[in-house]
Amino acid sequence: EPEVTQTPSHQVTQMGQEVILRCVPISNHLYFYWYRQILGQKVEFLVSFYNNEISEKSEIFDDQFSVERPDGSNFTLKIRSTKLEDSAMYFCASRTILAGQETQYFGPGTRLLVL
Amino acid sequence: ELKVEQNPLFLSMQEGKNYTIYCNYSTTSDRLYWYRQDPGKSLESLFVLLSNGAVKQEGRLMASLDTKARLSTLHITAAVHDLSATYFCAVDRDDKIIFGKGTRLHILP
């Protein structure tokens, strides 16, 4: 069964460093999303992406964040200068464009720890 | 501003009992999702509800949507220990998805 994959599974970085989180959505999906979840808390929407541009973004998704679809398969989230409060689990999700099949499929997540 | 409220936040129940988790939201929506999350794991999609009156069932779980009341429910029938997890509802409006705080469900054998 097709699935969303994410790399790396864990990343430790120093405050102020740039990180790039990678996602490979399901191949025929056209809507892509990034979420984060601080340990023990709710899932927070970061950004949605369709047709090679951002559809919506949350207040969390400030100038330090960017997304890119550099090729036909990868979808990346970049944090330019990490802060301690960026430590969280980051999930990528994707869904198809087909009506009646709106399920979002989540990847396994990347656990980011900023020291 | 879209807000999503879930209750209860914690629920401890005996096996074999029925219970309902409620999800209220503040504005019109395009889709309503229910997810399950086990500790340390990702989110598993349970249901997507699109229209008023929609009802979906999978095993012991049944979800419904009342768009006029801006309310969705997740009903658990004859709970079993394997259903212990955190359940989230999430509301999608114009491709901006807001999650509830989650309901941590603990089913006692």
Side-chain angles (χ1 to χ4, degrees):
Chain A
E1 183 175 323
E3 59 183 19
V4 177
T5 59
Q6 288 184 244
T7 55
S9 58
H10 295 79
Q11 180 145 5
V12 181
T13 189
Q14 294 290 326
M15 188 171 59
Q17 295 295 305
E18 174 184 288
V19 295
I20 297 176
L21 309 183
R22 291 182 168 79
C23 170
V24 179
I26 294 172
S27 63
N28 63 343
H29 287 188
L30 295 178
Y31 288 91
F32 313 118
Y33 306 84
W34 281 103
Y35 299 87
R36 76 175 187 190
Q37 185 178 33
I38 295 169
L39 186 63
Q41 298 188 23
K42 72 174 183 179
V43 179
E44 297 176 294
F45 169 78
L46 294 177
V47 66
S48 55
F49 190 88
Y50 170 71
N51 201 24
N52 287 320
E53 61 183 25
I54 291 173
S55 303
E56 278 287 346
K57 59 184 181 179
S58 71
E59 298 75 22
I60 302 168
F61 195 90
D62 60 21
D63 292 344
Q64 293 300 310
F65 291 85
S66 63
V67 289
E68 195 177 35
R69 189 157 162 80
D71 54 42
S73 59
N74 289 283
F75 180 52
T76 62
L77 174 69
K78 182 192 290 186
I79 309 174
R80 288 189 182 84
S81 178
T82 49
K83 307 183 186 77
L84 296 176
E85 54 264 36
D86 292 328
S87 294
M89 182 74 96
Y90 287 80
F91 293 108
C92 171
S94 70
R95 71 173 176 93
T96 177
I97 195 172
L98 299 175
Q101 297 182 35
E102 281 87 349
T103 299
Q104 282 195 30
Y105 293 89
F106 279 71
T110 293
R111 187 174 297 280
L112 176 66
L113 178 59
V114 182
L115 302 175
Chain B
E1 181 188 353
L2 176 56
K3 293 183 180 178
V4 180
E5 288 191 6
Q6 236 178 290
N7 67 85
L9 299 182
F10 298 96
L11 179 56
S12 183
M13 55 192 290
Q14 295 283 338
E15 275 193 327
K17 299 290 187 183
N18 304 333
Y19 211 82
T20 301
I21 300 170
Y22 298 89
C23 177
N24 290 273
Y25 54 99
S26 60
T27 68
T28 56
S29 72
D30 299 314
R31 296 165 201 88
L32 190 136
Y33 301 95
W34 283 98
Y35 294 97
R36 169 181 172 147
Q37 187 178 39
D38 291 300
K41 302 291 186 182
S42 185
L43 287 94
E44 175 191 351
S45 177
L46 297 174
F47 303 107
V48 182
L49 302 168
L50 304 177
S51 57
N52 189 45
V55 177
K56 291 193 176 179
Q57 183 163 5
E58 182 74 34
R60 299 175 188 274
L61 301 179
M62 183 173 72
S64 66
L65 179 62
D66 181 343
T67 58
K68 293 177 183 175
R70 295 179 185 158
L71 170 69
S72 179
T73 61
L74 180 67
H75 186 73
I76 302 150
T77 301
V80 293
H81 180 66
D82 286 352
L83 291 179
S84 295
T86 299
Y87 292 85
F88 291 96
C89 68
V91 177
D92 180 351
R93 185 180 184 197
D94 295 330
D95 231 16
K96 184 172 183 179
I97 299 92
I98 305 298
F99 277 72
K101 290 184 177 179
T103 297
R104 189 172 299 175
L105 178 63
H106 183 211
I107 298 170
L108 303 169

